[in-house]
Amino acid sequence: MSTVGARTRATNLPIVLGLSLAFAVTAIDPLVLSLNLPQVSRSLHVPTQLLGLLSGAATLVMAAAVLAAGSLGDVFGLKRLLMLGLVVVTVVDLLSMLSPGYGFLLTMRFLVGLGMTALLGMPLALLKVSVEPERRPVAIGVLMAVNMVLCGVLPAFAGWAVGALGWRFLFLIAPVLCMVSLWLTARYVPEPPRHPGRRFDVLGVTLIGTTLLTLVVGLAAA
């Protein structure tokens, strides 16, 4: 029995780690930018009135699009959507390193928010279907612990790296995490059944997303 339990834990570990890294990106990516925003704003001459929007653009998009991500996950597949989100975040953050001005970087922050929307909801949904019910509480605890450790360690490392290498280094952190998560997800995480018969309500999701985005932007500006 102990041998079976050890084998199960060994099988679950890469699944939980891959999903944990994806989930952590949604907190770490906006956090390291916010903490190092003065260096970015000085280099790109960001107007003062746009600093808050630049810092929170990705989070605003996540808040507005999270419902759409859940619906898309049901239709197109949770694993497929998570892997697509990881690729989007990787590509967009690498493009952000090349930002010639704040307008380009702001556009990239909105796009990376779309990618991170998949990283926000899909890991927990996949964890639920990938890990046995009796081991699920431990798996969720590990996911949250990984998120807390990375949120404590990586911002300090990013601050040191920005001082030594420049602010563009910030946009290498999330791609590294995403690539590790992408490999673990592709290799170990099973794809749960899809529900292709469900109709995706484009109009409804668009209206709700626009309403949430407007509300969150209004609250942030208040």
Side-chain angles (χ1 to χ4, degrees), residues 84-212:
L84 177 61
L86 290 167
V87 171
V88 169
V89 172
T90 298
V91 172
V92 173
D93 266 0
L94 291 177
L95 289 175
S96 298
M97 292 182 63
L98 308 176
S99 297
Y102 65 84
F104 182 89
L105 181 58
L106 181 60
T107 302
M108 293 300 101
R109 296 309 297 168
F110 281 114
L111 291 178
V112 84
L114 287 176
M116 288 196 294
T117 302
L119 277 56
L120 184 63
M122 298 308 107
L124 288 172
L126 283 167
L127 195 68
K128 182 179 179 180
V129 299
S130 303
V131 178
E132 300 80 5
E134 63 272 14
R135 300 191 181 278
R136 207 169 289 155
V138 175
I140 295 175
V142 171
L143 184 145
M144 294 302 176
V146 169
N147 186 60
M148 292 179 64
V149 169
L150 290 178
C151 285
V153 173
L154 287 182
F157 171 72
W160 170 83
V162 167
L165 303 174
W167 63 267
R168 295 181 190 273
F169 177 84
L170 290 173
F171 299 104
L172 273 179
I173 296 175
V176 171
L177 297 177
C178 285
M179 286 297 95
V180 177
S181 176
L182 184 63
W183 180 76
L184 291 172
T185 300
R187 185 175 177 86
Y188 296 104
V189 177
E191 174 69 87
R194 290 185 292 157
H195 305 282
R198 292 185 179 179
R199 179 174 173 270
F200 182 66
D201 187 359
V202 177
L203 178 60
V205 167
T206 301
L207 290 174
I208 292 175
T210 303
T211 302
L212 288 174

